[in-house]
Amino acid sequence: MSDTKENCEEKKIIVTGASGGIGRAVAVECARAGYYVICHYNRGKEKAEETLSLINQNGGKGELIQFDISNREDCRVKLEALTEKHGALWGIVNNAGVNKDQTFVGLTPEEWDSVVHTNLDSFFNVIQPLAMPMCRKKKGRIVTISSVSGVIGNRGQTNYSASKAGIIGASKALAVELASRNITVNSVAPGLIDTDMIKDSPMDMILQGIPMKRVGKPEEVAAAVVFLLSEGAAYITRQVINVNGGIA
């Protein structure tokens, strides 16, 4: 059961990659649940502003923050300033990432490095500057967005699968470290979700591999995230929540 607006009104969370797709749905649904949502973007300012506008239209509150998740110093400076402004956050939703799909033998070094370093380094770059204030406060929620590719692997996504599997491993290890501080760490692993990432995919072939015979909605992923952020999820940590229609 999610928090009511009354008991999570003062809780502030950050959602990286909130400019569209799953990130936007997570930001909007978290705001609807009553959280103050700090919406991150890097280059997509207009789309991030649209997300914040949706939040405001639904009676929610939030703000924008810009930084490059692959730039450690940029993350540190911006997130330390954010903590100075707001204090320890209640929640971190580490969602932003990139993909450059290609068969393994066809992968260029740049395609490997870009995806692995951006996606996996963001775990450290985003969460590490925010974790110590949460530890001092001895409460909080961390939710990382992995992928079905990180759970079972996926053809043409060796780089992406490696990065998303790494996020799961890192999340499980961090969950053990922070459990005594009353901070939970969990991963949500979406399957094929109706976002721009799959817009050019062969849908007939894709649907054959999904037991539910449909792709998921961003809001269905967001619902899992909202629950994991809630007080009701206080005894759930070190878990991977699959939202994939039965693929895995």
Side-chain angles (χ1 to χ4, degrees):
M1 183 176 180
S2 297
D3 295 319
T4 63
K5 278 198 173 186
E6 287 72 25
N7 65 24
C8 68
E9 190 172 16
E10 300 303 316
K11 292 178 179 176
K12 298 175 180 179
I13 68 168
I14 185 170
V15 179
T16 64
S19 57
I22 290 173
R24 172 174 290 178
V26 169
V28 170
E29 293 302 317
C30 285
R32 187 174 284 122
Y35 297 100
Y36 182 95
V37 183
I38 299 154
C39 302
H40 160 266
Y41 70 96
N42 185 21
R43 298 186 183 90
K45 185 176 182 180
E46 287 188 9
K47 289 185 177 181
E49 288 173 338
E50 290 173 6
T51 300
L52 187 58
S53 178
L54 286 171
I55 287 172
N56 293 333
Q57 288 170 27
N58 286 308
K61 297 179 181 178
E63 64 184 79
L64 300 181
I65 186 171
Q66 185 279 330
F67 55 83
D68 180 353
I69 62 169
S70 67
N71 185 317
R72 187 159 299 157
E73 183 64 12
D74 190 28
C75 290
R76 185 189 65 79
V77 170
K78 301 286 179 59
L79 293 173
E80 285 181 356
L82 185 70
T83 300
E84 186 72 22
K85 178 180 178 181
H86 290 295
L89 300 183
W90 167 256
I92 305 166
V93 182
N94 196 42
N95 164 74
V98 298
N99 70 301
K100 294 183 179 179
D101 296 350
Q102 178 61 270
T103 59
F104 182 72
V105 294
L107 272 176
T108 66
E110 187 277 332
E111 287 169 337
W112 175 271
D113 289 345
S114 174
V115 172
V116 171
H117 288 301
T118 299
N119 294 350
L120 193 50
D121 286 0
S122 73
F123 182 96
F124 180 88
N125 295 347
V126 173
I127 296 174
Q128 207 264 357
L130 297 172
M132 185 55 75
M134 294 173 76
C135 287
R136 293 192 189 102
K137 203 168 184 178
K138 293 187 177 181
K139 58 181 178 180
R141 303 280 186 268
I142 298 172
V143 181
T144 62
I145 305 300
S146 181
S147 168
V148 66
S149 292
V151 176
I152 62 173
N154 192 33
R155 178 183 173 86
Q157 290 192 319
T158 308
N159 51 356
Y160 187 71
S161 296
S163 68
K164 291 298 187 175
I167 285 172
I168 289 173
S171 299
K172 285 178 175 286
L174 186 61
V176 176
E177 292 186 17
L178 300 186
S180 64
R181 298 286 181 172
N182 202 32
I183 299 168
T184 66
V185 186
N186 294 287
S187 290
V188 173
L192 279 296
I193 306 299
D194 188 14
T195 65
D196 287 344
M197 186 176 284
I198 67 165
K199 65 180 181 180
D200 296 322
S201 301
M203 294 309 300
D204 289 343
M205 185 181 300
I206 284 174
L207 294 178
Q208 290 176 20
I210 304 175
M212 293 191 75
K213 301 304 178 187
R214 69 173 178 87
V215 297
K217 302 173 184 176
E219 292 77 15
E220 292 171 321
V221 179
V225 174
V226 172
F227 172 68
L228 290 172
L229 291 169
S230 73
E231 292 284 3
Y235 203 53
I236 300 172
T237 196
R238 208 183 183 191
Q239 302 305 305
V240 181
I241 308 300
N242 291 290
V243 185
N244 61 34
I247 298 174

